[in-house]
Every structure is written in C-alpha cells, then in structure tokens.
Amino acid sequence: MTHQPSRDIERKKPGARMIRRVAPARAGRDERSARDKFLAASLDLFAERNFASVTIKDIAKALNVNTALIYYYFDSKTDLFRATIEYAVAGAFENVRALDDRSADAPAIIAAWLANHVNKYAEIHRFVKIALDFRGAHEGDPDIASTIESFYVEERKLLSRVIREGIRQGMFKPVDPNRMAQFISTYLDGCMVRSVILPDFDLKGAVRDLHQRVLEMLGYAGKTGGKLQRR
C-alpha cells in the first residue's frame, strides 16, 4: 500500500518550488529518517543503473510510496541526485570523523581512512559509480560538480592536517603534507575506479600496499594501526 505525504503541500504555480508548511518539532526526526531512506534507495538505484534511466517513479516503487512524497522532500530528480551524492559523501567520512574527534594519533587516523575504503567499500563504490555517471550526463551542473568535489576537498584537508600534526609531534619525517595527501587521495581513487571496472580487483591488497608505502614515505616505524578488514 502506498503512503501519502503526511503534510499538505502547496505550490505557487505548476513547476514552482514547493512551499512546505511548518511541522511540529517532533516531526523533525521522522523527516530526517524518511529523507535518509529515500537517499539510500536512490543511491542504490543510481549506482546500479544511471541517472538518465532512473525515474522518481522507480525510486517511489522501490520504497512503496507515492511519488508526491518524494517531491515533498526534493524539487526534482536532479535535486535528489545532488542530495544523494551529499548523503554518500557524509557516510564515507562518518567513521573517520568520529576517530578524529576522539583525538586519535595521526598514524591511526591515516590507517582508518585507508581501511575505510575496504570496510565501507559498498558505499564508496556507489559514490564513485554515480560520480562517473555524472561526468557523462551532467557535466554542466555546477551544484552537482561542487558536491562531488567536496569529497576530494575534505579528504585532502583531513589527510594533510593529520600528516602535518604527525610531523609536528615528531612521528613523521618532514614531508610536504599537501603533496602526500594528494598522493594518497589519487592512489585510492585509482583503486576505487579500477574496482568499478574490474570486479575481481584485489582492493584490500592494493590498499594494504598503499598503507605500507605511505608509512615508509613518512618514515614511521611504530605500529601500523588496525588490520584492514575483508569486504
């Protein structure tokens, strides 16, 4: 049975941006939960197929809801696509941010970010697939391009700051933090793209090799951090 929107929806005129009425405060958590369900479903569909072939009706059918409910949260399919990428980016950084907030040492945070690409392979794999799809279908949309770029910008900022802190504490030898961060980011990106192209690619082994190489380049002789988990 399909569900109808729980609140009234008004439009200024056909095709105009929706005006949403204010809901009770307790509805906030329910709205976020519903929105995340839409984003998770759309992430699966956009990654499995491509932007052009996925419709709002497809996503509504996957969730067993009325299309009007999706249009309640998103103005268009492009708006949903952009929000889906934001959702994927936020999920990719979730575990590492938590570790960083607990002031873990630099080697542990670097190890966690590398392991993240194995442990959260499915999520990052989907992000890479829809980002590649964007390059073919939506290169002219600056908002979507900026959202995709935000993943790499945040990754480089995280890595360069952590490397800089490791140097300051004497754990790493002096290197250019920005160039090292770019090296790690580029290598990881290559691994993820190759895993899209070659399903049998040994991602775990490639990331493990990168981890060892990075430690050597940083001159770090201590513990190498947690083991990479098998996906």
Side-chain angles (χ1 to χ4, degrees):
M1 177 179 179
T2 58
H3 302 286
Q4 299 296 328
S6 58
R7 292 185 284 169
D8 295 332
I9 302 173
E10 296 178 352
R11 290 183 183 273
K12 297 177 182 178
K13 58 183 179 180
R17 188 178 182 87
M18 294 180 184
I19 301 175
R20 297 166 184 145
R21 294 178 179 172
V22 177
R26 78 183 191 86
R29 288 193 300 273
D30 293 337
E31 283 205 357
R32 285 193 295 273
S33 177
R35 192 173 187 274
D36 284 352
K37 287 180 181 178
F38 298 152
L39 294 174
S42 65
L43 179 60
D44 287 341
L45 285 173
F46 285 135
E48 180 183 342
R49 292 156 60 179
N50 55 60
F51 180 89
S53 66
V54 175
T55 67
I56 291 293
K57 287 183 179 180
D58 291 332
I59 297 170
K61 183 178 180 180
L63 288 163
N64 194 33
V65 299
N66 192 292
T67 56
L69 185 58
I70 295 179
Y71 278 118
Y72 176 66
Y73 291 99
F74 308 100
D75 296 336
S76 64
K77 189 173 78 167
T78 299
D79 183 38
L80 174 59
F81 187 66
R82 177 194 51 74
T84 298
I85 295 174
E86 290 179 347
Y87 173 80
V89 170
F93 282 91
E94 184 179 7
N95 293 341
V96 178
R97 282 199 193 101
L99 184 65
D100 195 18
D101 289 344
R102 292 196 296 269
S103 300
D105 63 29
I109 295 175
I110 291 175
W113 180 243
L114 297 179
N116 208 42
H117 283 68
V118 175
N119 303 336
K120 302 199 75 170
Y121 168 81
E123 293 91 334
I124 298 177
H125 183 264
R126 292 187 189 102
F127 165 75
V128 171
K129 287 191 71 175
I130 63 177
L132 290 172
D133 175 55
F134 163 80
R135 300 310 302 176
H138 291 272
E139 194 167 0
D141 191 309
D143 289 337
I144 295 177
S146 177
T147 303
I148 292 174
E149 177 65 17
S150 71
F151 174 86
Y152 299 103
V153 170
E154 185 164 357
E155 178 183 43
R156 289 191 296 268
K157 284 182 178 178
L158 169 72
L159 292 171
S160 61
R161 181 181 56 75
V162 167
I163 292 168
R164 190 172 292 108
E165 180 63 17
I167 294 170
R168 187 189 68 79
Q169 294 180 356
M171 303 176 80
F172 301 152
K173 69 181 182 181
V175 297
D176 183 328
N178 294 326
R179 289 189 64 184
M180 178 62 72
Q182 182 67 37
F183 167 76
I184 296 172
S185 175
T186 301
Y187 188 103
L188 284 173
D189 207 33
C191 288
M192 297 308 297
V193 171
R194 181 164 292 191
S195 72
V196 171
I197 298 171
L198 302 175
D200 294 330
F201 175 66
D202 183 9
L203 178 66
K204 180 183 176 183
V207 174
R208 183 176 58 243
D209 291 344
L210 172 62
H211 189 194
Q212 185 60 42
R213 178 60 178 150
V214 167
L215 294 178
E216 292 171 359
M217 294 171 73
L218 292 172
Y220 182 68
K223 294 181 180 179
T224 59
K227 294 182 178 179
L228 297 177
Q229 297 179 17
R230 188 180 303 276
R231 66 177 172 90

